[in-house]
Amino acid sequence: MKPASKRPSVRKAHSSRWLLQIEQEIDQARDAVDRACLRAKRVCLLAQQGRFALARRELVDLHALAFAQPNQRLAAWLSFAEGMMRQYVDLAGSAYEMMNRAYNIARAAQLDDLFPLASAWMGQMAFARGDFQGVAAYVAQAIRVAAPDDHWARARAFSIVGLCYQFAARQAQAAPWYAKARAHASAMGDDASLSAWLYNWTVQSIHVARHNHLRGLSVIPNEYALLLGTDSATNFDSSAGVESLPSLIPVHRALLFCMQGDYGQALALYEEHLPAALTQGLAHCAANLFADVAWCRLNLGQREQALTHAQAAQDELGTCRDADDRAGAHSRLQQIYAAVGNAPRSEYHADQAIANWKTFNESQDRVAAALDTALKGLS
């Protein structure tokens, strides 16, 4: 492969320490393939920071380079970078194809610089798809093959384990894995991964709080602390220059305000941010979120608009990907129809909520059991 032409630096005032390090490695790389793979790695960081236009320009140039002189290692890194772009443009699952391709090439070619990371990200893809055995297998593999100083792969793998245990309501088991993820991200100066860790922890905590709220359970996390968590995630993103998926945190703040009974604040956030959030990967949650909007409107005296949104929520139930989203939507709809005196609909949604919460509880048990088995002896 011929040496690539020198590309403009992407340095800017808020660039992370890790991004600056990769810039230096690109400048110092003498081998053309090494330099191109480092540039693909830089694309991943730019995507994590939401700097998509710059990342896309770099990818186009790298694809032209790979087309002129194909190379297996570069092909794997380009697929991985494309997957990262798709993941951070939206969360709708379009990243899977490219991540899977990167994983398969890295495994076949025994690419030690990518295979552990690709394994960890395949764990992330498996979790999003509800493949809990796959999550356990991929993250265990990533932890086994990653070098002790492979901070990128280990930070991602440990973060997924923490996320899964938190999803399974095993907070005590989640905490040490999150701590290890944070330590590895800090060690490499990766602000974007720290942002992802903070976002995942905050959002999953909000989901746990809302599940308990809708089910009338007594153990509810401190909602004010979670509001501070959303503030911290937003402020950290701003200070670190992380600009991806900007509407997701405001929507989760709206969920919290609704739980607190601050329906005016919740509705204002939904009206401003929900349309964009649905295009950034939350379309599969539309039924759940529309039901929340309907509940806000009903409590604000907007009965007709509330019933319109309740119907919209029912229309979206078929797009729900996860049992807890279906259960949450049915639980809210039960409350709405009970409040307006529609007993048949209220009873129907109550029954559906019970069935879907049961399914969700079973999925929590499955993911915890799969991780317990796969992670024995690993750290």
Side-chain angles (χ1 to χ4, degrees):
M1 179 178 292
K2 296 179 181 177
S5 58
K6 182 75 176 283
R7 296 289 292 171
S9 171
V10 298
R11 294 181 179 93
K12 56 193 294 187
H14 58 224
S15 288
S16 68
R17 174 161 52 91
W18 191 34
L19 182 56
L20 293 175
Q21 177 186 329
I22 291 176
E23 287 273 331
Q24 292 173 352
E25 292 176 6
I26 291 170
D27 291 343
Q28 296 166 5
R30 295 185 177 276
D31 180 80
V33 173
D34 288 344
R35 187 183 305 111
C37 291
L38 285 166
R39 287 172 60 192
K41 185 183 292 188
R42 180 173 61 186
V43 168
C44 298
L45 272 67
L46 293 173
Q48 282 183 282
Q49 292 187 345
R51 295 157 69 181
F52 301 122
L54 187 56
R56 177 55 63 191
R57 288 199 298 271
E58 186 81 345
L59 268 178
V60 169
D61 190 66
L62 287 169
H63 277 297
L65 199 63
F67 179 78
Q69 289 184 275
N71 177 274
Q72 194 173 35
R73 181 172 166 231
L74 179 55
W77 270 106
L78 277 176
S79 293
F80 185 76
E82 285 281 7
M84 290 285 278
M85 279 283 289
R86 295 185 185 187
Q87 176 71 8
Y88 285 99
V89 168
D90 69 73
L91 299 176
S94 63
Y96 174 81
E97 179 185 352
M98 300 310 296
M99 288 294 187
N100 189 47
R101 182 172 185 269
Y103 170 83
N104 286 328
I105 297 174
R107 180 178 58 180
Q110 299 182 323
L111 302 178
D112 294 340
D113 61 336
L114 180 57
F115 183 58
L117 181 63
S119 298
W121 268 98
M122 285 302 293
Q124 181 96 32
M125 300 292 104
F127 178 70
R129 295 160 73 92
D131 176 9
F132 300 131
Q133 290 294 331
V135 176
Y138 282 122
V139 295
Q141 178 174 255
I143 295 168
R144 279 196 303 271
V145 301
D149 62 349
D150 189 343
H151 299 302
W152 197 5
R154 287 186 172 273
R156 177 55 55 177
F158 293 152
S159 178
I160 297 164
V161 175
L163 175 66
C164 289
Y165 275 127
Q166 194 180 13
F167 166 86
R170 271 70 165 179
Q171 308 301 331
Q173 287 173 273
W177 293 98
Y178 272 139
K180 287 188 277 191
R182 188 173 185 178
H184 279 284
S186 297
M188 64 181 174
D190 181 11
D191 292 339
S193 287
L194 285 169
S195 170
W197 170 84
L198 185 56
Y199 171 81
N200 286 336
W201 178 86
T202 300
V203 166
Q204 196 59 48
S205 297
I206 291 170
H207 288 172
V208 170
R210 188 167 184 269
H211 294 166
N212 292 339
H213 170 79
L214 290 172
R215 301 171 79 176
L217 300 179
S218 58
V219 181
I220 300 179
N222 187 315
E223 294 161 10
Y224 293 97
L226 293 179
L227 277 174
L228 290 175
T230 62
D231 286 339
S232 297
T234 301
N235 292 338
F236 185 89
D237 283 358
S238 178
S239 66
V242 177
E243 304 159 8
S244 58
L245 306 174
S247 295
L248 302 192
I249 285 290
V251 166
H252 285 90
R253 285 178 64 83
L255 287 169
L256 281 171
F257 281 128
C258 187
M259 280 188 270
Q260 292 174 336
D262 193 342
Y263 302 113
Q265 282 227 61
L267 184 58
L269 285 169
Y270 279 134
E271 288 179 334
E272 181 177 356
H273 296 285
L274 183 52
L278 294 174
T279 70
Q280 292 171 4
L282 293 188
H284 68 283
C285 303
N288 208 355
L289 297 170
F290 287 168
D292 230 40
V293 171
W295 184 241
C296 290
R297 290 196 181 281
L298 187 63
N299 281 278
L300 291 169
Q302 302 171 13
R303 179 188 170 99
E304 292 308 313
Q305 290 171 291
L307 291 175
T308 298
H309 268 100
Q311 184 60 54
Q314 291 182 93
D315 293 342
E316 293 290 340
L317 280 166
T319 67
C320 284
R321 187 178 65 195
D322 302 315
D324 58 328
D325 282 324
R326 291 191 298 274
H330 283 297
S331 294
R332 269 289 186 241
L333 290 168
Q334 181 274 322
Q335 292 176 319
I336 291 164
Y337 287 115
V340 300
N342 189 330
R345 280 203 177 189
S346 177
E347 292 168 6
Y348 167 78
H349 288 295
D351 291 342
Q352 291 298 311
I354 291 169
N356 279 283
W357 285 124
K358 182 176 183 292
T359 300
F360 174 65
N361 289 341
E362 291 168 351
S363 69
Q364 289 179 302
D365 292 340
R366 286 201 308 276
V367 71
L371 287 172
D372 289 346
T373 300
L375 297 174
K376 281 181 181 176
L378 297 177
S379 61

